[in-house]
Tab-separated table of all heavy atoms in Angstrom:
chain	number	residue	atom	x	y	z
A	178	GLU	N	71.931	62.022	-169.597
A	178	GLU	CA	72.208	60.576	-169.516
A	178	GLU	C	71.231	59.851	-168.581
A	178	GLU	O	71.249	58.622	-168.479
A	178	GLU	CB	73.665	60.306	-169.126
A	178	GLU	CG	74.096	60.837	-167.771
A	178	GLU	CD	74.609	62.290	-167.805
A	178	GLU	OE1	74.129	63.092	-168.640
A	178	GLU	OE2	75.474	62.622	-166.965
A	179	GLY	N	70.353	60.585	-167.902
A	179	GLY	CA	69.344	59.957	-167.041
A	179	GLY	C	68.325	59.189	-167.884
A	179	GLY	O	67.730	59.734	-168.801
A	180	GLN	N	68.158	57.910	-167.586
A	180	GLN	CA	67.268	57.040	-168.362
A	180	GLN	C	66.096	56.529	-167.536
A	180	GLN	O	65.035	56.258	-168.051
A	180	GLN	CB	68.042	55.789	-168.837
A	180	GLN	CG	69.113	56.075	-169.856
A	180	GLN	CD	68.491	56.516	-171.168
A	180	GLN	OE1	67.494	55.952	-171.614
A	180	GLN	NE2	69.051	57.553	-171.776
A	181	GLU	N	66.353	56.339	-166.264
A	181	GLU	CA	65.450	55.565	-165.435
A	181	GLU	C	65.345	56.254	-164.077
A	181	GLU	O	66.331	56.825	-163.606
A	181	GLU	CB	66.067	54.169	-165.270
A	181	GLU	CG	65.229	53.184	-164.549
A	181	GLU	CD	64.412	52.289	-165.472
A	181	GLU	OE1	64.386	52.528	-166.709
A	181	GLU	OE2	63.809	51.363	-164.944
A	182	ILE	N	64.173	56.203	-163.451
A	182	ILE	CA	64.021	56.810	-162.136
A	182	ILE	C	63.575	55.734	-161.158
A	182	ILE	O	62.568	55.051	-161.395
A	182	ILE	CB	63.031	57.985	-162.182
A	182	ILE	CG1	63.488	58.946	-163.291
A	182	ILE	CG2	62.959	58.672	-160.827
A	182	ILE	CD1	62.835	60.294	-163.295
A	183	ILE	N	64.323	55.576	-160.092
A	183	ILE	CA	64.006	54.540	-159.109
A	183	ILE	C	63.313	55.196	-157.918
A	183	ILE	O	63.768	56.226	-157.407
A	183	ILE	CB	65.275	53.821	-158.608
A	183	ILE	CG1	66.218	53.530	-159.774
A	183	ILE	CG2	64.905	52.520	-157.887
A	183	ILE	CD1	67.610	53.149	-159.318
A	184	PHE	N	62.227	54.567	-157.474
A	184	PHE	CA	61.453	55.084	-156.355
A	184	PHE	C	61.589	54.109	-155.193
A	184	PHE	O	61.235	52.935	-155.324
A	184	PHE	CB	59.985	55.233	-156.770
A	184	PHE	CG	59.808	56.190	-157.929
A	184	PHE	CD1	59.870	55.738	-159.243
A	184	PHE	CD2	59.621	57.547	-157.701
A	184	PHE	CE1	59.728	56.618	-160.313
A	184	PHE	CE2	59.479	58.441	-158.757
A	184	PHE	CZ	59.535	57.976	-160.073
A	185	PHE	N	62.118	54.590	-154.074
A	185	PHE	CA	62.342	53.734	-152.911
A	185	PHE	C	61.329	54.049	-151.824
A	185	PHE	O	61.075	55.220	-151.526
A	185	PHE	CB	63.739	53.973	-152.325
A	185	PHE	CG	64.862	53.529	-153.237
A	185	PHE	CD1	65.437	54.416	-154.140
A	185	PHE	CD2	65.358	52.228	-153.186
A	185	PHE	CE1	66.475	54.017	-154.969
A	185	PHE	CE2	66.399	51.818	-154.015
A	185	PHE	CZ	66.952	52.717	-154.907
A	186	GLY	N	60.796	52.997	-151.190
A	186	GLY	CA	59.971	53.176	-150.001
A	186	GLY	C	60.853	53.161	-148.768
A	186	GLY	O	62.033	52.838	-148.828
A	187	ALA	N	60.241	53.497	-147.613
A	187	ALA	CA	60.989	53.443	-146.352
A	187	ALA	C	60.926	52.047	-145.746
A	187	ALA	O	61.616	51.750	-144.774
A	187	ALA	CB	60.427	54.472	-145.370
A	188	ASP	N	60.078	51.190	-146.297
A	188	ASP	CA	59.986	49.811	-145.797
A	188	ASP	C	61.087	48.975	-146.442
A	188	ASP	O	61.482	49.218	-147.574
A	188	ASP	CB	58.605	49.217	-146.092
A	188	ASP	CG	58.199	49.321	-147.572
A	188	ASP	OD1	58.647	50.274	-148.259
A	188	ASP	OD2	57.461	48.444	-148.055
A	189	ALA	N	61.573	47.982	-145.713
A	189	ALA	CA	62.704	47.210	-146.234
A	189	ALA	C	62.691	45.792	-145.698
A	189	ALA	O	62.034	45.485	-144.696
A	189	ALA	CB	64.018	47.890	-145.848
A	190	GLY	N	63.425	44.941	-146.378
A	190	GLY	CA	63.567	43.559	-145.935
A	190	GLY	C	64.915	43.036	-146.394
A	190	GLY	O	65.628	43.706	-147.142
A	191	GLU	N	65.237	41.826	-145.907
A	191	GLU	CA	66.499	41.238	-146.354
A	191	GLU	C	66.240	40.403	-147.602
A	191	GLU	O	65.314	39.598	-147.639
A	191	GLU	CB	67.099	40.351	-145.260
A	191	GLU	CG	68.506	39.913	-145.643
A	191	GLU	CD	69.152	39.017	-144.585
A	191	GLU	OE1	68.918	37.801	-144.621
A	191	GLU	OE2	69.896	39.560	-143.739
A	192	GLU	N	67.031	40.625	-148.607
A	192	GLU	CA	66.901	39.863	-149.846
A	192	GLU	C	68.202	39.122	-150.090
A	192	GLU	O	69.280	39.596	-149.713
A	192	GLU	CB	66.617	40.798	-151.031
A	192	GLU	CG	65.295	41.546	-150.936
A	192	GLU	CD	64.078	40.645	-151.027
A	192	GLU	OE1	64.219	39.485	-151.466
A	192	GLU	OE2	62.988	41.095	-150.622
A	193	GLU	N	68.078	37.970	-150.720
A	193	GLU	CA	69.277	37.209	-151.050
A	193	GLU	C	69.275	36.931	-152.542
A	193	GLU	O	68.310	36.392	-153.081
A	193	GLU	CB	69.295	35.890	-150.269
A	193	GLU	CG	70.587	35.134	-150.498
A	193	GLU	CD	70.688	33.839	-149.675
A	193	GLU	OE1	70.018	33.748	-148.614
A	193	GLU	OE2	71.423	32.948	-150.109
A	194	VAL	N	70.329	37.334	-153.206
A	194	VAL	CA	70.462	37.086	-154.634
A	194	VAL	C	71.843	36.497	-154.881
A	194	VAL	O	72.850	37.127	-154.516
A	194	VAL	CB	70.291	38.385	-155.461
A	194	VAL	CG1	70.463	38.091	-156.953
A	194	VAL	CG2	68.918	39.013	-155.200
A	195	ARG	N	71.899	35.328	-155.450
A	195	ARG	CA	73.166	34.635	-155.698
A	195	ARG	C	74.034	34.636	-154.443
A	195	ARG	O	75.177	35.043	-154.455
A	195	ARG	CB	73.917	35.267	-156.878
A	195	ARG	CG	73.120	35.165	-158.171
A	195	ARG	CD	73.892	35.665	-159.364
A	195	ARG	NE	75.001	34.772	-159.683
A	195	ARG	CZ	74.929	33.750	-160.538
A	195	ARG	NH1	73.808	33.496	-161.157
A	195	ARG	NH2	75.977	33.006	-160.769
A	196	SER	N	73.404	34.221	-153.354
A	196	SER	CA	74.015	34.100	-152.023
A	196	SER	C	74.544	35.413	-151.434
A	196	SER	O	75.231	35.407	-150.418
A	196	SER	CB	75.090	33.002	-151.992
A	196	SER	OG	76.269	33.470	-152.595
A	197	VAL	N	74.208	36.520	-152.054
A	197	VAL	CA	74.508	37.814	-151.424
A	197	VAL	C	73.280	38.241	-150.638
A	197	VAL	O	72.185	38.338	-151.195
A	197	VAL	CB	74.839	38.892	-152.485
A	197	VAL	CG1	75.077	40.240	-151.816
A	197	VAL	CG2	76.031	38.461	-153.321
A	198	LYS	N	73.461	38.463	-149.348
A	198	LYS	CA	72.341	38.938	-148.530
A	198	LYS	C	72.465	40.447	-148.380
A	198	LYS	O	73.546	40.961	-148.110
A	198	LYS	CB	72.388	38.296	-147.144
A	198	LYS	CG	72.067	36.813	-147.159
A	198	LYS	CD	71.688	36.376	-145.735
A	198	LYS	CE	71.202	34.952	-145.705
A	198	LYS	NZ	72.236	33.964	-145.447
A	199	MET	N	71.350	41.116	-148.541
A	199	MET	CA	71.413	42.581	-148.438
A	199	MET	C	70.083	43.126	-147.952
A	199	MET	O	69.046	42.507	-148.129
A	199	MET	CB	71.736	43.185	-149.813
A	199	MET	CG	70.660	42.878	-150.832
A	199	MET	SD	71.216	43.095	-152.523
A	199	MET	CE	70.457	41.649	-153.285
A	200	ARG	N	70.157	44.315	-147.361
A	200	ARG	CA	68.939	45.013	-146.984
A	200	ARG	C	68.451	45.773	-148.208
A	200	ARG	O	69.232	46.474	-148.872
A	200	ARG	CB	69.278	45.995	-145.864
A	200	ARG	CG	68.082	46.653	-145.229
A	200	ARG	CD	68.554	47.711	-144.237
A	200	ARG	NE	67.863	48.962	-144.485
A	200	ARG	CZ	66.692	49.274	-143.924
A	200	ARG	NH1	66.121	48.446	-143.081
A	200	ARG	NH2	66.096	50.417	-144.207
A	201	GLN	N	67.192	45.607	-148.531
A	201	GLN	CA	66.650	46.309	-149.696
A	201	GLN	C	65.357	47.008	-149.308
A	201	GLN	O	64.449	46.378	-148.756
A	201	GLN	CB	66.350	45.309	-150.821
A	201	GLN	CG	67.579	44.849	-151.574
A	201	GLN	CD	68.043	45.887	-152.592
A	201	GLN	OE1	67.432	46.079	-153.631
A	201	GLN	NE2	69.133	46.580	-152.273
A	202	GLU	N	65.277	48.272	-149.626
A	202	GLU	CA	64.004	48.965	-149.497
A	202	GLU	C	63.088	48.488	-150.618
A	202	GLU	O	63.572	48.089	-151.685
A	202	GLU	CB	64.182	50.486	-149.653
A	202	GLU	CG	64.770	51.176	-148.451
A	202	GLU	CD	66.293	51.178	-148.488
A	202	GLU	OE1	66.860	51.027	-149.587
A	202	GLU	OE2	66.906	51.324	-147.412
Side-chain angles (χ1 to χ4, degrees):
E178 61 272 32
Q180 292 292 318
E181 185 96 352
I182 307 193
I183 317 166
F184 300 89
F185 293 92
D188 53 331
E191 189 180 85
E192 296 293 344
E193 185 177 335
V194 179
R195 298 185 69 92
S196 77
V197 177
K198 290 198 173 92
M199 62 198 139
R200 188 186 130 88
Q201 283 281 287
E202 284 88 22

